[in-house]
Amino acid sequence: MTDWFQKAGQPRWFNIPADRPFLDDLAVGLLDITREGGPEALADAVVLTPTRRAARSLTEAFLRMAGEVPALLPPRIRPLGDLEAGEAPFEPGDIVLDLPPAISPVRRRFELLRLVTELSPAIGRSPGPAEALGLADALGGFFDSLQIEEVAGDNLADLVDLDMAAHWRVSLEFLQGALLAWPKRLETLGLVDVSARRVRLLDALAAKWDAEPPKDLLIAAGSTGSVKATARLLTVIARAPLGAVVLPGLDTVMAEGAQQPRPVDDQHPQAALRALLTFAGVEVSSVETWKGRSPASSSGEVRRNLVNLALRPAAQTSDWRLAIEGEGEKKIREGLKGLTVVGTRDVEACALAAALLLRETLETPGRTAALVTPDQDLARRVAARLGRWGVIADASAGEPLARFPCAVLAETTALALVEPARPATILGLLKHPHVRLKRTEADLAIARDALEVTALRRTRPEDLSGLKTFAMTAKAADPAAIALVDALAAVFPPTAPGAVETLDASAWARRLTLAMEALCARPEGGTGDLWSGPDGEAVARLLSLLIAEGGASPPLSAAAFAELLGVIIAGESVRAAHATHPRLKILGAMEARMARADRLILAGLEEGVWPQAAGVDPFLSRGMRSRLGLPPAERRIALSAHDFAQSACAPEVFLLHARRRRGAPALESRWLWRLRTLTRGAGGDLPGRPDLEAIAGAADAPGDFAPAPRPAPRPPLEARPRELAVTRIETLVRDPYAVWARDILRLYPLDRPDAPVDVRVRGTAIHAALEAFVKAYPDEVPDAAEADLAALYLDALKTAGMDAPGLARETALSREIAAWVVEQERTRRRDRRRIHVELKGTLTFEAPAGPFTVTAKADRIEVGPEPVGRILDYKTGSPPSPKQVEEGFSPQLTLSGAILAAGGFPSLGRLKPVELAYVQITGRRPAGVISSALEDGQDAVAASAEALEGLKAVIARFDNPGHAYLSRTAPSKVKLFASDYDHLARVREWSAIGGGGES
């Protein structure tokens, strides 16, 4: 191989075929080239790789060879840097001195955020914080594209057409303003964009090596030259006296004759390599094959030819027929050896299949395996599956930082800076494992639980002083809970009412850091393990960058900063510090470039996932990008196709795809479709593993599946209730399990933290206001009654804790409610009937297990002038229908009528019920409706008697010791009635799997 470097003045272009282990062959070839010069010759060589990961992998390849030679000094391996992936190249010191420093990514992001905010009038509106940050990132990507593609962008005005949509004109106006302002801002800072600096660095390096070629061996390996600056550097390296370029996976079969390569489209895997060779003026036939140690495998060559043939451009698929003729079918079948396609029902099954394949590899000592997928969610699912067997794979993407405790604390604390009295936020802080507030863990838990019960599980207070008032006025006021509110107030000091503080991101990050440390303060001093571990270090690094560079942001409110912080944390990942299995890797598509393992598993082969759909440019249409000189969005698809083709040529490859994704059918990747179509054209089909899904199913549900039966508690008779209110009778009829949980076990549901002031509170306020109104005006209704009733209603809402916006809405509704109610009061009182509110009544009857008492608290009973009674029940929501009342699912009013008829309301005596009605009050048009609880023509006395007999039958059933308190006894009414105890009754479980039988 050394004679190749004796061809003076002739550029040296080499190729390592896709079926060969690129890095191992490269290492072997370099060792052979420098063998005559001894170890020093290899150590003096410079090898340029496309990425830092490739540089590390090449170092590992040399380490694997260390035992095969007497002495081995690896070459100097430097990354060129993937400009589109944002990876920096190495920086020779003598060149760096002539280039201005680059702006840091964080500083640039906030500077662009400020620029977007300043230019927002151009788009006709002010975007929110998250949207503005997204526009800033998109604007940064636009600048990067201009710089990488070396487009000036001074012809934006030429892109305007008369038939252009209005939003593109707005976009161009925005971009023109940004292109004027951004260079001036960089000049003021004395900095340059990272992409622009990298292009200048590569050009300076190319100029230096062109003028003074290195005297030692210089190899550029693995780059596709998709960036112009990189392509220029590669041409310089290729013609250096001891230089060479080694291409990854060039298809040399697609040439017409021996001269010009056949054209390929922008989405073809060979597009970037062919463009590089065209730029360098190199014919495909002149590219020589780099020689590794082991001879080329015929099976590998056949696989490579099969993959390249399947991925031919659409215009060249006519070659398939020629390839199939003669010995073609045999070669295609031979190329499929070692290639397996596995289709699973969904993504979860795909993850399990991948995990099983990885685990299967470990059964053979020494074998390695790697999962390659661009779908990070799928990668995390596979890692979780492997964790079931105690196997931790080396995952290149890591875990999302947002899932780690320190990041959760940072986001929750940022929300507390916005609304420190929000109960859900306070509970999130107080229950976080890092938070102590200078208390022991036990003391904090006691105070937190007391505060939760007394003050947090109710409506939201306006501020922490309001929360303290809640804690002090509670029935079970606890000094520890009150002191805990004081500790929170010290961390989050109050602001002036109505004031909105605006600071830059640096100031907010500093305040956030201090708040987090105050929350995590220990009694003995320090902050515990707040900043320790991989997540603590990552959050500390992130906050440090925000403090150092966030001063460039526009003024932000606390809410805007919290929103921005959530977006920033969502884009970060962290690698957990734990031992990983040395023979398993989980790689992204980019990280897997040039990586090899004994078994490669390519997963996520669905359209839109691999390849990913072409990105949507928020600023430029396809035509505008083309006229501006920017490459089409499909170029990334070509790079993904090249990655796929490289990996698919490995000796043992599994191609995994899911038939459904996110509940919708998924389409197989175009590359998989092409392989399948070509194979079927040759009379065969892609090999599969039909047993894999069966194994996956067995792993999830070993043995016979026996679902747990539906809960059916049968408490002893002496524990069963002998007294229930009419509202609990409704529950007993439709959901006996809820009666067992509440009335027998005494499990009372807690209110939600930050409970909304909605229908429940409005209903309570309506009842309180109407009760007070009737007591204030028992006989006549004066002219000022409407204003008085509206005031009573609003006062009741204020007492319940309704906020100012809610009160503003209810003020308008209160006038409508008061007008309607007063009109109804005057109408119904014309016959001088007496009005009674909130009366309690009881009725006791004999049952098989002894006397049973039913109680009622009537919202309103109207008596007279005859010995008759009218029972009204106030509703703010939809009342039960007469059919539900007749069927016994809503017997509240009919049972109240039975109690009235039996004289169960002591102050009224025996009265004949003549009206049972619901009063629905909404405040809308109409403000209220009075509707009968009975069917037309149905007698109230008869309906009440029938309801009482039905109750006796129900109680008789439950007086049987063998009768169970089942959940949801009326399946047809499941959607109408929700229970607080459905989770305890496992309703979703047994109703979904058919386990409705009693236990």
Side-chain angles (χ1 to χ4, degrees), residues 347-615:
V347 177
E348 184 62 29
C350 185
L352 180 54
L356 287 170
L357 289 171
L358 292 171
R359 181 65 182 83
E360 185 181 66
T361 307
L362 299 181
E363 297 300 313
T364 304
R367 280 181 61 82
T368 60
L371 169 68
V372 180
T373 178
D375 185 356
Q376 296 306 317
D377 177 67
L378 176 62
R380 286 190 287 270
R381 289 173 185 259
V382 174
R385 290 287 186 174
L386 289 172
R388 294 169 59 182
W389 304 307
V391 177
I392 301 177
D394 181 12
S396 63
E399 289 288 327
L401 177 60
R403 297 186 179 184
F404 284 81
C406 191
V408 172
L409 178 61
E411 292 193 67
T412 309
T413 306
L415 292 175
L417 291 174
V418 182
E419 292 182 281
R422 185 168 180 260
T425 302
I426 292 176
L427 283 175
L429 290 176
L430 297 180
K431 294 189 177 185
H432 194 280
H434 290 337
V435 172
R436 289 292 185 276
L437 285 169
K438 295 184 179 180
R439 291 162 170 77
T440 64
E441 186 175 1
D443 289 343
L444 178 63
I446 293 172
R448 177 194 66 216
D449 293 345
L451 181 64
E452 179 178 357
V453 173
T454 58
L456 293 178
R457 289 191 173 270
R458 55 179 300 172
T459 56
R460 182 188 308 187
E462 292 186 3
D463 50 28
L464 287 175
S465 63
L467 181 66
K468 185 176 180 179
T469 302
F470 286 172
M472 295 175 64
T473 57
K475 293 182 180 179
D478 191 306
I482 299 171
L484 190 58
V485 179
D486 290 335
L488 289 171
V491 179
F492 306 104
T495 57
V500 178
E501 189 175 13
T502 57
L503 302 170
D504 59 43
S506 176
W508 281 121
R510 189 177 291 107
R511 183 175 296 186
L512 174 65
T513 304
L514 293 175
M516 290 175 63
E517 292 184 341
L519 288 169
C520 298
R522 268 36 178 186
E524 65 277 7
T527 57
D529 52 357
L530 171 62
W531 306 118
S532 62
D535 62 320
E537 294 174 0
V539 174
R541 182 171 59 255
L542 177 62
L543 291 177
S544 298
L545 288 172
L546 291 179
I547 292 173
E549 306 289 356
S553 76
L556 303 169
S557 65
F561 174 74
E563 188 174 346
L564 285 180
L565 182 69
V567 174
I568 292 172
I569 289 179
E572 299 289 327
S573 60
V574 60
R575 299 189 66 179
H578 45 58
T580 58
H581 201 287
R583 293 194 281 137
L584 295 183
K585 291 184 182 296
I586 298 178
L587 305 172
M590 185 176 295
E591 292 84 4
R593 289 176 179 173
M594 297 182 290
R596 270 299 158 88
D598 295 324
R599 171 180 283 183
L600 276 183
I601 303 167
L602 311 184
L605 287 169
E606 299 102 40
E607 282 296 310
V609 180
W610 200 6
Q612 294 182 348

Side-chain angles (χ1 to χ4, degrees), residues 237-446:
I237 293 173
R239 63 174 178 258
L242 292 178
V245 176
V246 184
L247 301 177
L250 176 67
D251 182 8
T252 59
V253 180
M254 279 194 346
E256 290 182 342
Q259 299 298 322
Q260 296 298 323
R262 298 178 66 175
V264 296
D265 56 34
D266 291 330
Q267 301 183 40
H268 193 272
Q270 296 291 309
L273 292 176
R274 291 301 173 88
L276 172 62
L277 293 178
T278 301
F279 173 81
V282 177
E283 298 175 355
V284 174
S285 59
S286 65
V287 178
E288 301 188 48
T289 300
W290 185 272
K291 297 179 181 177
R293 177 172 301 173
S294 58
S297 168
S298 59
S299 59
E301 182 178 355
V302 173
R303 169 74 64 74
R304 181 181 77 240
N305 292 336
L306 170 64
V307 173
N308 289 338
L309 181 63
L311 301 187
R312 290 277 175 90
Q316 300 177 25
T317 51
S318 58
D319 294 347
W320 288 359
R321 293 190 178 185
L322 298 175
I324 294 174
E325 294 176 354
E327 296 291 322
E329 293 186 11
K330 180 180 179 182
K331 290 183 177 180
I332 288 176
R333 287 193 295 271
E334 184 179 349
L336 293 175
K337 293 179 180 178
L339 182 80
T340 306
V341 176
V342 178
T344 61
R345 65 181 183 276
D346 54 23
V347 177
E348 184 62 29
C350 185
L352 180 54
L356 287 170
L357 289 171
L358 292 171
R359 181 65 182 83
E360 185 181 66
T361 307
L362 299 181
E363 297 300 313
T364 304
R367 280 181 61 82
T368 60
L371 169 68
V372 180
T373 178
D375 185 356
Q376 296 306 317
D377 177 67
L378 176 62
R380 286 190 287 270
R381 289 173 185 259
V382 174
R385 290 287 186 174
L386 289 172
R388 294 169 59 182
W389 304 307
V391 177
I392 301 177
D394 181 12
S396 63
E399 289 288 327
L401 177 60
R403 297 186 179 184
F404 284 81
C406 191
V408 172
L409 178 61
E411 292 193 67
T412 309
T413 306
L415 292 175
L417 291 174
V418 182
E419 292 182 281
R422 185 168 180 260
T425 302
I426 292 176
L427 283 175
L429 290 176
L430 297 180
K431 294 189 177 185
H432 194 280
H434 290 337
V435 172
R436 289 292 185 276
L437 285 169
K438 295 184 179 180
R439 291 162 170 77
T440 64
E441 186 175 1
D443 289 343
L444 178 63
I446 293 172

Side-chain angles (χ1 to χ4, degrees), residues 646-966:
Q646 287 283 100
S647 299
C649 292
E652 185 181 14
V653 181
F654 285 83
L655 307 179
L656 272 60
H657 70 94
R659 300 186 185 95
R660 297 186 68 84
R661 178 174 285 270
R662 296 184 181 91
L667 187 64
E668 289 183 8
S669 171
R670 64 191 68 182
W671 308 319
L672 195 55
W673 266 108
R674 282 173 161 268
L675 278 171
R676 191 183 303 279
T677 303
L678 175 61
T679 305
R680 288 176 176 173
D685 203 351
L686 294 175
R689 279 283 298 270
D691 63 315
L692 198 57
E693 284 204 52
I695 297 174
D700 268 344
D704 295 333
F705 176 61
R710 176 184 183 181
R714 297 179 177 84
L717 286 179
E718 57 270 18
R720 303 190 180 198
R722 306 310 302 167
E723 179 179 318
L724 287 175
V726 290
T727 53
R728 300 303 297 160
I729 296 298
E730 290 191 11
T731 305
L732 182 65
V733 170
R734 63 178 182 253
D735 191 12
Y737 187 92
V739 174
W740 175 75
R742 182 185 181 102
D743 299 277
I744 298 177
L745 297 184
R746 307 295 181 185
L747 299 177
Y748 300 111
L750 294 173
D751 290 333
R752 288 186 299 163
D754 197 11
V757 185
D758 52 9
V759 176
R760 181 179 61 85
V761 174
R762 291 185 72 245
T764 302
I766 285 287
H767 281 73
L770 292 178
E771 180 183 1
F773 180 81
V774 171
K775 289 180 177 179
Y777 307 112
D779 299 318
E780 298 293 335
V781 180
D783 294 337
E786 294 184 11
D788 292 345
L789 179 57
L792 289 171
Y793 175 56
L794 293 176
D795 288 343
L797 289 174
K798 291 178 183 177
T799 304
M802 179 167 280
D803 54 14
L807 285 173
R809 181 188 67 247
E810 293 296 333
T811 299
L813 296 179
S814 67
R815 291 191 291 266
E816 299 290 335
I817 291 173
W820 184 84
V821 169
V822 168
E823 181 184 355
Q824 293 298 319
E825 288 287 341
R826 289 172 176 157
T827 301
R828 298 184 70 88
R829 294 188 187 192
R830 287 174 181 172
D831 56 1
R832 301 295 179 177
R833 66 186 65 172
R834 291 175 289 119
I835 311 299
H836 303 272
V837 294
E838 302 296 328
L839 283 185
K840 295 182 180 179
T842 61
L843 172 63
T844 302
F845 58 85
E846 288 296 326
F852 185 89
T853 301
V854 58
T855 67
K857 186 176 182 181
D859 290 343
R860 178 183 178 117
I861 300 179
E862 300 175 355
V863 179
E866 298 84 6
V868 296
R870 296 172 173 84
I871 303 177
L872 304 181
D873 186 55
Y874 298 126
K875 297 289 185 183
T876 53
S878 298
S881 66
K883 185 177 181 181
Q884 293 171 359
V885 175
E886 184 180 10
E887 291 175 346
F889 289 107
S890 296
Q892 178 184 354
L893 284 182
T894 50
L895 288 178
S896 297
I899 296 173
L900 180 65
F905 293 95
S907 61
L908 303 182
R910 290 177 179 269
L911 296 175
K912 176 183 177 181
V914 295
E915 182 182 7
L916 305 174
Y918 295 105
V919 181
Q920 183 184 10
I921 301 176
T922 63
R924 297 173 179 85
R925 299 294 177 88
V929 175
I930 299 179
S931 58
S932 175
L934 307 177
E935 298 281 2
D936 292 340
Q938 190 176 8
D939 181 65
V941 175
S944 299
E946 184 180 349
L948 181 59
E949 292 302 318
L951 173 61
K952 291 178 180 179
V954 170
I955 299 304
R957 288 199 301 270
F958 282 96
D959 280 354
N960 177 4
H963 192 77
Y965 284 78
L966 295 175

